[in-house]
Amino acid sequence: MELNQRTSQSPLNLILLIAPFFLWGTAMVAMKGVTPHTTPLFMAGVRIVPAGIMILAVAALMGRKQPQGWQAWLWIGLFALVDGTLFQGFLAEGLMRTGAGLGSVMIDSQPLAVALMSLWLFKEHIGLWGWLGLGLGVGGISLIGLPDDLILNVFSGVISLPNSLNLNSLFSSGEWLMLLAALSMAVGTVMIRYVTKYVDPVVATGWHMIIGGLPLWGISAVTETQRWQNLVTSDWLALSYATIFGSAIAYALFFYFASSGSLTSLSSLTFLTPVFALLFGNILLSEVLTPIQWMGVALTLVSIYLINQRDTLGRSEQVTKVTIAELASTSQSEIFEQQPIEVKLKEGLATRD
């Protein structure tokens, strides 16, 4: 509520609030435009290592405390492996095989996994709206990631797999690599609760980008060729945009609003990221989805909103029930107060012993 009140008072604040999700979505489009001229792991390292250095520089100017002790560095290392190396590696590899908009939808399905892990680890309440969102999310991801032939066969009652389906190619497809990236991001999101027990969250973000990005460059040096030789000026500009705006500035704005307002209200805007990615992917890259994939996108976006807003929706439902009960109780009391009941006894009954 506090966040909504502040942003409603100033158009600039509203723009800054939406900016991280706009930058993340458009950064996906910028990275996708570079993929024909570079290699995925090199590109992933370029995106996060310089951004991590920028974030640490800002953290130093702000006087934030650096990690202390082996436990802090251990958690940073684990966080870097999961949310840095694995997440960015799967993201870049998946982006080579799928569109920016579709990939962004898959990435931002991670609240589904976060909700389930939070239920298991922290006993967090999911509720009716959360479970509904999880169900819609599973359906949406299935419509996006599974081949159209398989989905059409299922709805037509055919139980055999289509001839065009190759299970090996299915699990190496861009959609499923993006799903692995989403799962890695979800694990990293849950891990941050443990990381922040020992390290400042902004400092941890900067270090995990650097530590997580260096193995990507190491693996790229061994397994990839022609990493930057084919990049032109426009490609370097796109990578710079993804690094500076899509990583460093986007994370800085996100952490600012997360620390000064309602995190629930902020997280409810997550669904804007794939919207921006789909829009600019269509405009700049001419990306086109099939009708079934559009249905999956719609279901996934609705599921993300329901999961992020499950507590708010649940409270609204409880308030509505309480209000109705109060109105009913008040109405009954007013009836009895304003319209007293007169009881008339027959004369014979009044004198009976």
Side-chain angles (χ1 to χ4, degrees):
M1 180 63 71
E2 176 187 352
L3 182 62
N4 292 336
Q5 291 176 347
R6 185 173 63 251
T7 54
S8 63
Q9 295 173 356
S10 171
L12 177 60
N13 280 345
L14 179 61
I15 293 173
L16 293 176
L17 178 65
I18 298 175
F21 310 99
F22 171 83
L23 295 175
W24 282 328
T26 51
M28 291 282 289
V29 178
M31 293 170 63
K32 180 61 180 180
V34 179
T35 53
H37 305 147
T38 187
T39 55
L41 299 183
F42 172 77
M43 179 176 64
V46 168
R47 182 186 181 186
I48 62 173
V49 173
I53 296 174
M54 295 178 191
I55 291 176
L56 286 181
V58 173
L61 293 175
M62 295 172 62
R64 292 184 176 267
K65 187 177 180 181
Q66 290 296 312
Q68 303 290 329
W70 66 269
Q71 288 180 312
W73 287 108
L74 175 62
W75 278 110
I76 289 177
L78 294 174
F79 186 42
L81 173 64
V82 174
D83 196 66
T85 306
L86 293 180
F87 168 55
Q88 295 293 337
F90 285 134
L91 168 62
E93 291 284 358
L95 196 57
M96 289 285 180
R97 299 169 175 84
T98 189
L102 193 60
S104 182
V105 175
M106 299 296 290
I107 290 295
D108 284 298
S109 67
Q110 56 90 18
L112 281 67
V114 171
L116 290 175
M117 286 188 289
S118 297
L119 172 66
W120 176 49
L121 294 174
F122 309 122
K123 310 302 181 184
E124 290 190 0
H125 177 70
I126 292 182
L128 174 62
W129 294 105
W131 285 113
L132 177 60
L134 287 172
L136 292 177
V138 171
I141 292 173
S142 299
L143 293 179
I144 292 172
L146 295 176
D148 288 0
D149 292 343
L150 176 60
I151 296 172
L152 293 174
N153 283 354
V154 171
F155 281 103
S156 61
V158 179
I159 59 175
S160 61
L161 296 176
N163 295 329
S164 60
L165 179 62
N166 186 325
L167 292 180
N168 292 329
S169 63
L170 173 63
F171 288 100
S172 63
S173 66
E175 289 81 2
W176 287 97
L177 287 171
M178 286 297 189
L179 184 58
L180 290 174
L183 292 175
S184 300
M185 184 180 181
V187 174
T189 301
V190 173
M191 288 179 62
I192 196 66
R193 178 170 295 189
Y194 299 98
V195 176
T196 53
K197 291 181 178 179
Y198 305 96
V199 192
D200 177 87
V202 177
V203 174
T205 300
W207 276 115
H208 105 280
M209 284 183 168
I210 298 173
I211 298 174
L214 292 178
L216 295 173
W217 273 347
I219 299 173
S220 173
V222 176
T223 62
E224 297 178 341
T225 59
Q226 299 294 314
R227 299 184 294 277
W228 64 81
Q229 288 80 355
N230 297 324
L231 293 174
V232 297
T233 303
S234 60
D235 295 330
W236 285 111
L237 291 175
L239 286 176
S240 299
Y241 176 85
T243 300
I244 299 173
F245 292 92
S247 293
I249 294 179
Y251 275 107
L253 288 173
F254 182 83
F255 276 118
Y256 168 75
F257 284 110
S259 62
S260 60
S262 170
L263 186 58
T264 301
S265 300
L266 181 63
S267 62
S268 68
L269 299 176
T270 302
F271 73 97
L272 290 176
T273 301
V275 170
F276 287 126
L278 287 166
L279 175 63
F280 285 92
N282 180 265
I283 295 174
L284 301 178
L285 304 177
S286 301
E287 295 180 352
V288 179
L289 304 183
T290 67
I292 291 179
Q293 287 177 324
W294 274 116
M295 291 175 59
V297 168
L299 286 178
T300 303
L301 294 180
V302 171
S303 74
I304 293 169
Y305 176 80
L306 290 178
I307 291 173
N308 280 325
Q309 291 292 290
R310 64 187 185 274
D311 292 335
T312 302
L313 293 172
R315 285 196 298 269
S316 299
E317 185 177 358
Q318 291 176 357
V319 170
T320 302
K321 290 180 179 179
V322 171
T323 303
I324 292 175
E326 290 176 349
L327 287 174
S329 176
T330 303
S331 300
Q332 291 175 359
S333 62
E334 290 177 351
I335 289 173
F336 285 110
E337 290 176 0
Q338 297 176 5
Q339 299 180 2
I341 299 176
E342 296 181 359
V343 179
K344 296 182 179 180
L345 299 176
K346 290 183 179 180
E347 186 176 357
L349 292 177
T351 59
R352 189 174 60 180
D353 293 335

